[in-house]
Amino acid sequence: MPRDSNATKARLLDAAIAEFAAHGIAGARVDRIASAAGANKRLIYACFGSKERLFDEVLRRAAEAGPESVPFDADDLPGYAGAVFDHLVARPDLLRLRLWKLLERPAGPGSEAEGFRRRAAEVAAVQARGELSRAMAPADLLTMVLAAAQAWFWTDGDGGPASPEHLARHRAAVVETARRLADPGPAEG
């Protein structure tokens, strides 16, 4: 039976995402990636050239699976914050990879800058219509909404388990925070 190189490459990438999310680039081991993918570690070098280039490909895929994959509606920043929260609950590895990128490869690939600028421009347009708070610059407002969506992932929280009830309460707090940040208030509207 012929080997399916695309399937092998996909298994390597899946294993690399898990390995890099857990250990970063410095702590990741090519042997563990190959073993988890059921492949020979030489294939990593044949497919990607180096561990660093494999990490770059993982970051690129993580960027595509991250904020860009969550539908954005500048008219509904609270809904967007809730959707980002839900996405991070489902894919906690994405946040870990983002942290490793910031720690180990801050100037490397995987930048979401263009997508952020596009979303900030959409926020500016809604602010100009008076339908969003103008208390902050568009990029600042978007950053604070994203920070609210991620806040529960950066804290030990209230010590409770990540039960559906806790997650629902945390999500509600995220949405309410974004609503308050975005609300133009009577003087602005």
Side-chain angles (χ1 to χ4, degrees):
M1 179 187 318
R3 291 185 187 191
D4 184 349
S5 63
N6 288 333
T8 301
K9 191 172 181 178
R11 285 194 320 273
L12 285 169
L13 284 166
D14 288 344
I17 287 170
E19 179 74 9
F20 288 130
H23 303 286
I25 192 169
R29 297 292 171 258
V30 173
D31 318 32
R32 288 193 300 243
I33 295 169
S35 177
N40 185 305
K41 76 177 188 177
R42 286 189 315 249
L43 284 173
I44 292 173
Y45 297 104
C47 291
F48 302 100
S50 68
K51 180 170 85 166
E52 290 74 18
R53 288 184 37 206
L54 175 58
F55 185 66
D56 291 345
E57 179 61 18
V58 164
L59 290 177
R60 188 187 68 70
R61 287 176 180 248
E64 289 174 0
E68 289 299 317
S69 69
V70 176
F72 180 73
D73 179 0
D75 289 303
D76 184 15
L77 290 181
Y80 176 65
V84 169
F85 177 86
D86 294 342
H87 190 64
L88 293 174
V89 166
R91 293 288 313 269
D93 57 326
L94 296 175
L95 209 47
R96 291 184 60 88
L97 286 167
R98 177 81 176 132
L99 280 175
W100 285 118
K101 179 201 181 298
L102 292 172
L103 289 169
E104 297 183 316
R105 301 284 292 277
S111 173
E112 299 87 19
E114 183 55 40
F116 181 85
R117 282 191 290 274
R118 182 180 35 77
R119 289 188 300 274
E122 291 177 40
V123 168
V126 179
Q127 283 178 316
R129 293 194 318 253
E131 297 172 17
L132 281 177
S133 172
R134 290 182 224 141
M136 289 183 256
D140 294 335
L141 178 56
L142 181 56
T143 297
M144 293 301 107
V145 167
L146 287 167
Q150 298 173 30
W152 282 108
F153 300 94
W154 304 116
T155 181
D156 289 337
D158 54 12
S163 68
E165 295 79 20
H166 273 81
L167 290 174
R169 194 178 80 241
H170 296 333
R171 186 186 195 284
V174 163
V175 170
E176 178 60 15
T177 298
R179 186 194 64 74
R180 290 180 186 207
L181 286 167
D183 185 11
E188 289 185 66

